[in-house]
Amino acid sequence: PVPVRSARIEMREEDTLFDDSYGEVFTNSDGTYAFHFCDDDGLFDDELELYVRLYANIQYDGHDVVEVQEDGLIPPEEVYEFNSNIIESEGGTYTVNFDLNRDQSAVFNIADAIFDAWNVWNANGGAVDDDAIFDYQAEVNWEKGDGDEKTYYNGYVWDEITIADSNADPDEWDDGVIIHEWTHQADDNYSCDDNPGGEHNLKDNSQDPELAWAEGFADYYQSAVRTALGRVDGNWYLDNLGPDSNLISGYDMETWDA
């Protein structure tokens, strides 16, 4: 199992009209968390109906890193949130674990891949000028069954990353692809990047030089992140990963020659 690290988590209490919040914390690197409080449910009622809400929102050391959202038509989209079962409590200590299903796990794999990219970036120089750290929150859209056929960064309109969910080539498990697009966003917001964007492919040798450089840099950086973290085949750009994939595709960046 892979822990859900640095994710926002909230203790809540079910009520007739509006549920109450007993505060928020962020999970530790091993996915653990803890709440402590003292309260009751009002006059003549000592029992609380408690549940825990997990958000697809990663924060580290006070910095908002990434949030993964449902894929709506117009921002802002809804950030994914998942509730635990209700515990009827009159006090004591309880353990609430989240055993995420496949689609929920996909949401947090997207967030975790971007968290890896963010960490490696800041461990190797961070931001520029007066900024001691890259402090820009990535907004990512992904929704199973929504029909997005491509993964891309839209920096001209929404400043968001969209992750493909189509059955033909879904990318929610492709860390390299996800990090590639995050690198475009980082480059767009923290450099003199002037990438015009547009259609491109691996064997296209007649592109705008700025687009070619941006794509090469994003390919390089996903490899650098995965290599720095000791991932298998860090020198490869890999696609079609995940539990349903029958054919992994990609290329070795050390030997590829178009």
Side-chain angles (χ1 to χ4, degrees), residues 232-244:
V232 176
D233 297 325
N235 56 302
W236 281 70
Y237 186 94
L238 296 174
D239 198 1
N240 292 335
L241 303 176
D244 285 338

Side-chain angles (χ1 to χ4, degrees), residues 71-187:
D71 194 6
L73 292 176
I74 301 175
E77 293 88 351
E78 293 291 329
V79 176
Y80 280 101
E81 56 187 48
F82 308 113
N83 293 336
S84 72
N85 293 326
I86 291 176
I87 297 173
E88 296 183 349
S89 169
E90 294 184 358
T93 300
Y94 300 89
T95 298
V96 179
N97 292 320
F98 281 86
D99 186 11
L100 301 179
N101 64 33
R102 179 170 154 170
D103 289 347
Q104 293 168 340
S105 297
V107 168
F108 282 99
N109 184 72
I110 294 168
D112 203 57
I114 289 178
F115 190 28
D116 283 340
W118 186 91
N119 276 318
V120 172
W121 186 285
N122 284 303
N124 290 275
V128 295
D129 298 329
D130 296 330
D131 295 325
I133 194 168
F134 183 93
D135 194 13
Y136 196 89
Q137 184 182 48
E139 295 185 1
V140 185
N141 297 328
W142 177 83
E143 187 171 348
K144 185 69 174 179
D146 201 53
D148 284 309
E149 297 182 352
K150 294 183 179 181
T151 292
Y152 59 92
Y153 164 62
N154 183 336
Y156 292 99
V157 181
W158 305 122
D159 196 21
E160 293 179 339
I161 298 168
T162 295
I163 305 298
D165 65 277
S166 68
N167 291 330
D169 185 15
D171 285 332
E172 62 267 27
W173 303 104
D174 296 333
D175 290 7
V177 177
I178 296 164
I179 295 171
H180 175 108
E181 297 305 328
W182 180 88
T183 308
H184 284 318
Q185 186 176 50
D187 198 24

